[in-house]
Amino acid sequence: MPHINIRLVREADSTRILEIYRPYVEETAISFEYEVPTQAEFAERIRSVAREYPYLVYTIDESIIAYAYAHRHMERAAYQWNATLSVYVDSAYQRQGIGKQLYACLMEILKLQNIHNVYGIVKTPNPNSEKLHESFGFRRIGIYRQTGFKQGVWHDVTWFEKSIRDHEANPHAFIPIGDIDPQAIAAILARYGHSS
């Protein structure tokens, strides 16, 4: 029986994570990047995000087959209660509910960080990603039409939005992930990453 686990990213994971990301850049328009980032650049991206937000990897028998992360939605102080989510799954493991597990885990951790709203930014059409967001009750809030040009085609981008906690009158400030109780994070990771 395979051992399934979801855990926080480690610095040594960047090589494998970049391998998962590479086809999204080279073979699809899901990523709007034209060039695959260098290993050093990609590792710095991971470090930058993981300093404040959850950056998760999904493993089967300790091999990384998917990853997901949250990052700041916009820079101004008043936006601190929002986060944008991203998930990437190795092509051999798509349509198995892995993205769903990672998204659910991310949102539970983000609640501990006082995040109220989460967003998904999806190149459309992209049925897998659209279904993922719809399954969690995200609302489509707008479409940027013909906003990205890649592989000889203009692409639309759809924004999805979901509230994950009540909007109180005096919200507590955003808490960086390093200041969250590690045991609380471990409990969430254990709930969503389990052997099957």
Side-chain angles (χ1 to χ4, degrees):
M1 199 182 314
H3 178 71
I4 294 170
N5 188 40
I6 297 175
R7 60 170 174 77
L8 294 174
V9 74
R10 300 171 186 152
E11 192 160 337
D13 297 334
S14 63
T15 300
R16 173 60 184 142
I17 293 172
L18 183 55
E19 287 175 6
I20 294 171
Y21 182 58
R22 179 181 302 276
Y24 286 91
V25 176
E26 293 180 337
E27 302 168 17
T28 78
I30 290 172
S31 168
F32 276 7
E33 290 198 80
Y34 279 16
E35 302 291 334
V36 177
T38 66
Q39 183 62 50
E41 180 186 355
F42 200 71
E44 178 51 36
R45 288 185 193 181
I46 293 171
R47 279 192 295 273
S48 177
V49 170
R51 277 194 285 267
E52 295 202 337
Y53 293 89
Y55 200 122
L56 309 177
V57 296
Y58 186 105
T59 66
I60 297 178
D61 295 332
E62 299 187 13
S63 295
I64 298 171
I65 55 92
Y67 68 98
Y69 59 92
H71 60 91
R72 192 174 179 97
H73 170 60
M74 288 182 163
E75 288 305 313
R76 303 292 187 216
Y79 290 115
Q80 67 183 279
W81 294 277
N82 306 329
T84 301
L85 311 183
S86 296
V87 61
Y88 294 91
V89 180
D90 185 295
S91 60
Y93 294 91
Q94 291 177 358
R95 290 177 290 283
Q96 296 181 26
I98 293 168
K100 218 170 184 176
Q101 284 177 265
L102 286 166
Y103 249 44
C105 194
L106 277 180
M107 286 188 274
E108 288 301 312
I109 295 171
L110 289 169
K111 287 177 188 176
L112 298 180
Q113 296 183 265
N114 295 326
I115 292 294
H116 286 61
N117 308 305
V118 289
Y119 297 89
I121 304 169
V122 179
K123 191 282 297 181
T124 46
N126 181 345
N128 290 343
S129 189
E130 292 172 70
K131 286 177 187 172
L132 170 66
H133 289 88
E134 289 163 357
S135 74
F136 280 105
F138 279 74
R139 294 182 308 123
R140 292 173 187 253
I141 56 171
I143 299 175
Y144 291 178
R145 299 198 183 277
Q146 298 185 17
T147 192
F149 185 81
K150 188 173 179 185
Q151 298 179 324
V153 179
W154 286 100
H155 300 278
D156 294 349
V157 170
T158 300
W159 280 68
F160 289 85
E161 175 188 64
K162 178 180 174 67
S163 293
I164 59 173
R165 59 186 298 164
D166 292 335
H167 292 76
E168 62 270 25
N170 295 296
H172 295 288
F174 169 76
I175 304 172
I177 193 162
D179 295 336
I180 300 294
D181 178 3
Q183 291 184 331
I185 294 173
I188 293 170
L189 295 173
R191 193 178 322 140
Y192 290 98
H194 58 276
S195 295
S196 62

